[in-house]
Amino acid sequence: GAALGRIEEALARCQELIDETGNGIFQPEVCECRSRAAALRGDSPAAQRELVQARELKGDMGATAQIERLAGDA
């Protein structure tokens, strides 16, 4: 419980940094981590949304191996 809260706070800070700098290179990883955190909370719809976004962002970057890895998490 408490650890999950700290993880979500850290992810929120990561998102703030991405937004502040405009450097979205780490956005897919943040989405993937948010997906896993949502799954731990039992929020399957949010987990799936974040995972889809991570895949789309990886696709935009041409990271096919990462897309295949994420496909196994569906």
Side-chain angles (χ1 to χ4, degrees), residues 28 32 36 51 54-55 58 65-74:
E32 183 180 352
R36 294 181 190 281
L51 192 58
R55 280 192 216 124
K58 288 290 187 182
Q66 292 295 321
I67 294 168
E68 291 173 12
R69 181 184 59 78
L70 290 173
D73 291 345

Side-chain angles (χ1 to χ4, degrees), residues 1 4 8 33-49:
L4 183 56
E8 290 176 330
C33 290
R34 282 196 305 236
S35 172
R36 294 181 190 281
L40 288 172
R41 280 194 322 273
D43 187 349
S44 295
Q48 188 61 31
R49 278 192 309 274

Side-chain angles (χ1 to χ4, degrees), residues 1-12:
L4 183 56
R6 288 192 304 271
I7 290 167
E8 290 176 330
E9 288 173 10
L11 289 170

Side-chain angles (χ1 to χ4, degrees), residues 14-30 61:
C14 288
Q15 188 62 57
E16 289 173 5
L17 290 169
I18 289 169
D19 294 343
E20 286 174 18
T21 64
N23 187 353
I25 190 101
F26 297 109
Q27 187 66 60
E29 283 75 15
V30 172
M61 294 175 173

